[in-house]
């Protein structure tokens, strides 16, 4: 076994071990160590993607000394590599962009604990991406829930406390359903490793036994994970959770935590249940419908907000709707569009949350549109980066969002008449609604400030880290738009390896 | 319908249902946490019931019998233990949040707390 095949294991263990170690470090050292670990994980994931691309097929990595049906396994493939690379990169950049605001928002002696949670979250994300064992996935889902809750609660404020509690309640309902699904699946198949479950499920499907329990399993797992990733009717916790905490937490929650669950769902659909069994149960139609309604309703709610962070949070609901729409199409092309949208939305939304924090800084810490007038001039880098993000969300060419929408449109053409029409109409309406609220915001940012308002621009407040992260995010966004061909073909190759 | 032969599973599902609705609908934080515990206990009961085969023993080889027919699969019990650890830590976190909410707002009713927060903000 080549040395690079141990990289996924290192990517999980390094943040997990560091999280335990960071809890005893002082704030400054904890911060440095966290940045070192995140950089190393990003670099390792990049190496892994490179090697697995050359290797050309997926492999399983035995954890401990017991082979397949008994031991625990990690599985490495191209899609896992790319996802890990994107997730760790976004984690690093989000933390980099929000690190200065932590001084204001997090109690001084609790700083190292914040980094503990960041590292735990990274470990949980990596484990969900790489694991080949469904119960391990459940355990890391719970670790992710706990650390995400602590990230919301990091800013000590009444509103974040309630938001964290509501987040926790909804997520516990979600994990309850997910766990019940996993337990039923284990009882049906007698296996915990994904590849073994898939064989058993295919056999059950072929013989036609246990059709109803299998449908229940698929429903429980899909609904559980869609509650946790804030699909439309279950999104009530989103605006408070994303809207009031520190910008780094909002960026990480909206772009990584929800996407981690969606990646797990896609993984379960491909690697555990199998797409044809999912099709037979018809659950994908439910996800398709919820996604479709979410795209529209999320945007309508976003238009009605007068607080920039809550507006971006509702926009997340709409974008999660896009991802579930792609999953619900049930075709290879739809799944491809969904995975690409996971990346493009993650990059974009993290940048929007960070820059919204920067813009609010330049407007006397207010997030309301009337105070934000002219903030694009007062804080040029944040203004430009926000504009790039907004244009990407709207679907402007040369940016990631355009390729996403193109992928969804292409995928829709291969569906039946009614579904094609529904998707295309929803895409058009949703794009129009996106344009309304994002371009309105961009215009607000560059309008002259209301007379009588006087914001002293605190120079050097946001500093080098924030600018660096904004520039890097904008660059990744443009790279996703311009270099979309290799990325899309890599995702396609990864999805082929998945099945 | 095997309602009476599978009464453990029936009990587990009823527990799960009660716990789920309490966690979702009850306004009292403490009752929500109790609901969460019940929901998880229901699932563990289900898993334990599924993992036990009448008349077989735990796989501890003492008298040299190595036949598979004599033992039960120990993995479900292991999963139950893992699950219990997870739900204990989650309950602890929820209780800590509740303590902080109570210290700040002097009530356990989540709706009243939300109303107070809105008032605070405005």
């Amino acid at each position: 076994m080549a040395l690079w095949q141990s990289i996924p294991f290192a990517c999980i263990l390094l943040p997990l071990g560091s999280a335990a170690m960071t809890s005893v470090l002082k704030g400054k050292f904890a911060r440095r160590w966290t940045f070192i670990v995140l950089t190393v994980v990003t670099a390792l994931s990049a190496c892994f993607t490179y090697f697995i691309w050359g290797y050309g097929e997926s492999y399983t990595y035995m954890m401990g000394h017991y082979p397949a049906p008994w031991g625990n396994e990690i599985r490495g493939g191209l899609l896992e590599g790319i996802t890990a690379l994107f997730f760790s990169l976004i984690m690093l950049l989000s933390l980099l962009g929000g690190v200065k605001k932590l001084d204001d928002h997090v109690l001084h002696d609790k700083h190292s604990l914040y980094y503990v949670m960041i590292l735990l979250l990274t470990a949980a994300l990596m484990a969900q991406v790489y694991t080949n064992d469904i119960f391990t996935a459940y355990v890391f889902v719970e670790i992710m829930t706990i650390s995400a809750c602590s990230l919301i609660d990091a800013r000590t404020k009444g509103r974040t406390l309630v938001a964290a509690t509501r987040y926790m309640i909804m997520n516990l309902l979600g994990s309850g359903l997910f766990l019940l699904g996993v337990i039923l699946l284990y009882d049906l198949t007698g296996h915990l490793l994904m590849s073994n479950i898939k064989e058993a499920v295919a056999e059950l499907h072929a013989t036609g036994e246990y059709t109803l329990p299998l449908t229940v399993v698929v429903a429980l797992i899909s609904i559980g994970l869609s509650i946790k990733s804030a699909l439309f009717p279950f999104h009530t916790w989103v605006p408070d959770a994303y809207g009031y905490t520190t910008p780094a937490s909002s960026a990480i929650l909206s772009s990584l935590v929800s996407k981690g669950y969606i990646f797990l769902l896609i993984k379960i659909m491909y690697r555990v249940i199998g797409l044809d069994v999912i099709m037979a149960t018809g659950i994908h139609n439910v996800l398709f419908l919820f996604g479709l309604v979410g795209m529209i309703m999320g945007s309508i709610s976003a238009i009605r907000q007068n607080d920039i962070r809550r507006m971006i949070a509702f926009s997340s609901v709409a974008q999660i709707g896009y991802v579930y729409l792609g999953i619900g199409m049930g075709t290879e092309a739809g799944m491809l569009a969904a995975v690409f949208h996971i990346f493009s939305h993650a990059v974009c939304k993290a940048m929007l949350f960070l820059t919204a924090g920067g813009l609010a800084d330049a407007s006397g810490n207010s997030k309301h549109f009337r105070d934000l007038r002219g903030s694009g001039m007062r804080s040029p880098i944040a203004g430009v980066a926000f504009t790039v993000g907004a244009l990407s969300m709207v679907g402007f060419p040369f940016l990631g969002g355009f390729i996403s929408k193109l992928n969804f449109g292409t995928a829709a053409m291969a569906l039946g008449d009614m579904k094609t029409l529904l998707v295309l109409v929803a895409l058009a309406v949703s794009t129009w609604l996106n344009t309304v609220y994002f371009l309105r915001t961009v215009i607000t940012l560059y309008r002259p400030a209301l007379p009588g308002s006087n914001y002293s621009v605190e120079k050097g407040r946001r500093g080098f880290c924030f600018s660096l992260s904004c520039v890097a995010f904008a660059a990744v966004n443009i790279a996703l738009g311009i270099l979309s061909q290799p990325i899309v073909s890599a995702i396609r190759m990864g999805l082929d390896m998945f099945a | 319908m095997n309602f009476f032969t599978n009464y453990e599973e029936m009990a587990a599902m009823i527990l799960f249902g009660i716990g789920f609705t309490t966690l979702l609908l009850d306004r009292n934080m403490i009752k929500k946490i109790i609901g969460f515990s019940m929901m998880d206990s229901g699932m563990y009961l289900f898993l334990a019931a599924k993992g036990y085969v009448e008349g077989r023993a735990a796989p501890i080889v003492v008298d040299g019998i190595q036949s598979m027919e004599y033992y039960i699969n120990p993995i479900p019990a292991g999963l139950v233990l893992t699950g219990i650890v997870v739900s204990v830590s989650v309950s602890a976190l929820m209780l800590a949040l509740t303590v902080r909410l109570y210290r700040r707002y002097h009530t356990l009713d989540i709706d009243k707390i939300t109303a107070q927060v809105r008032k605070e903000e405005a």
Side-chain angles (χ1 to χ4, degrees), chain A residues 276-434:
Chain A
D276 44 337
V277 183
I278 303 258
M279 295 300 125
T281 60
I283 299 293
H284 67 290
N285 288 324
V286 179
L287 295 181
F288 178 84
L289 206 64
F290 282 177
L292 211 61
V293 180
M295 278 162 70
I296 310 288
M297 294 310 289
S299 299
I300 290 176
S301 309
I303 288 180
R304 291 169 44 214
Q305 303 302 315
N306 57 3
D307 171 328
I308 186 167
R309 297 262 302 268
R310 283 179 72 92
M311 181 198 86
I312 303 174
F314 272 114
S315 153
S316 275
V317 176
Q319 304 300 321
I320 295 288
Y322 274 83
V323 177
Y324 274 97
L325 181 80
I327 295 174
M329 283 179 194
T331 57
E332 188 89 346
M335 214 54 104
L336 182 79
V339 175
F340 189 86
H341 196 68
I342 288 178
F343 298 151
S344 76
H345 174 239
V347 170
C348 207
K349 200 42 70 75
M351 179 162 78
L352 285 174
F353 269 117
L354 287 177
T355 49
L359 291 169
D361 262 3
S363 318
N365 259 331
S366 168
K367 298 178 295 177
H368 292 285
F369 285 127
R370 60 171 187 283
D371 300 319
L372 282 170
R373 287 177 60 159
S375 57
M377 257 93 86
R378 291 193 294 274
S379 171
I381 291 179
V384 170
F386 188 91
T387 311
V388 171
L391 288 178
S392 174
M393 294 308 273
V394 169
F396 194 75
F398 307 116
L399 293 169
F402 172 71
I403 306 291
S404 273
K405 289 203 165 63
L406 185 67
N407 282 339
F408 279 113
T410 323
M413 295 318 283
L415 299 167
D417 320 315
M418 196 55 203
K419 270 188 167 179
T420 308
L421 192 68
L422 271 176
V423 174
L424 290 181
V425 168
L427 267 178
V429 173
S430 166
T431 307
W432 178 69
L433 292 170
N434 276 343

Side-chain angles (χ1 to χ4, degrees), chain A residues 175-210:
Chain A
S175 5
L177 293 177
F178 177 65
L179 178 60
L180 191 61
V182 169
I183 289 175
L184 275 174
L185 193 59
Y186 179 57
D187 292 335
L188 282 178
T189 61
H191 288 291
L192 288 171
L193 284 181
M194 294 186 177
S195 9
N196 299 30
I197 297 180
K198 193 176 178 190
E199 280 166 27
V201 167
E203 206 173 300
L204 286 180
H205 185 58
T207 55
E209 278 178 297
Y210 293 118

Side-chain angles (χ1 to χ4, degrees), chain A residues 150-164:
Chain A
S150 319
L151 286 187
I152 298 173
D153 203 20
R155 185 178 187 184
T156 330
K157 220 179 142 184
R159 195 108 200 202
T160 54
L161 200 55
V162 178

Side-chain angles (χ1 to χ4, degrees), chain A residues 197-244:
Chain A
I197 297 180
K198 193 176 178 190
E199 280 166 27
V201 167
E203 206 173 300
L204 286 180
H205 185 58
T207 55
E209 278 178 297
Y210 293 118
T211 318
L212 185 62
L214 261 183
T215 314
V216 172
V217 165
V218 177
L220 284 173
I221 290 180
S222 317
I223 300 299
L225 286 176
S226 54
I227 290 177
K228 292 177 82 73
S229 54
L231 181 60
F232 165 66
F234 318 115
H235 70 288
T236 45
W237 52 270
V238 165
D240 282 359
Y242 296 176
Y244 297 97

Side-chain angles (χ1 to χ4, degrees), chain A residues 22 40 84 138 161 221 243 253 308 381 383 401 403 405 414 454 478 488:
Chain A
T22 309
V40 169
Y138 163 71
L161 200 55
I221 290 180
L253 281 164
I308 186 167
I381 291 179
I403 306 291
K405 289 203 165 63
N454 177 27
I478 294 170
V488 167

Side-chain angles (χ1 to χ4, degrees), chain A residues 135 142 146 153 156 158-159 161-162 165-166 168-169 172-173 176-177 179-180 183-184 186-187 244, chain B residues 23-24 29 32 39 43 46-47 50 73 75 79 86 90 93-94 97 100-101 104-105 113-114 117:
Chain A
F135 204 78
E142 288 288 25
I146 292 174
D153 203 20
T156 330
R159 195 108 200 202
L161 200 55
V162 178
T165 313
R166 286 194 176 276
M168 212 51 202
I169 293 166
L172 290 180
L173 294 170
L177 293 177
L179 178 60
L180 191 61
I183 289 175
L184 275 174
Y186 179 57
D187 292 335
Y244 297 97
Chain B
L23 178 58
L24 182 64
M29 280 305 295
K32 269 187 193 294
M39 180 176 91
M43 280 189 285
F46 187 83
L47 194 52
K50 280 287 172 203
N73 181 357
I75 291 178
L79 296 185
V86 169
V90 172
L93 181 65
M94 285 292 281
L97 281 172
R100 282 182 60 189
L101 280 174
R104 208 175 164 118
Y105 298 104
I113 293 174
T114 313
V117 168

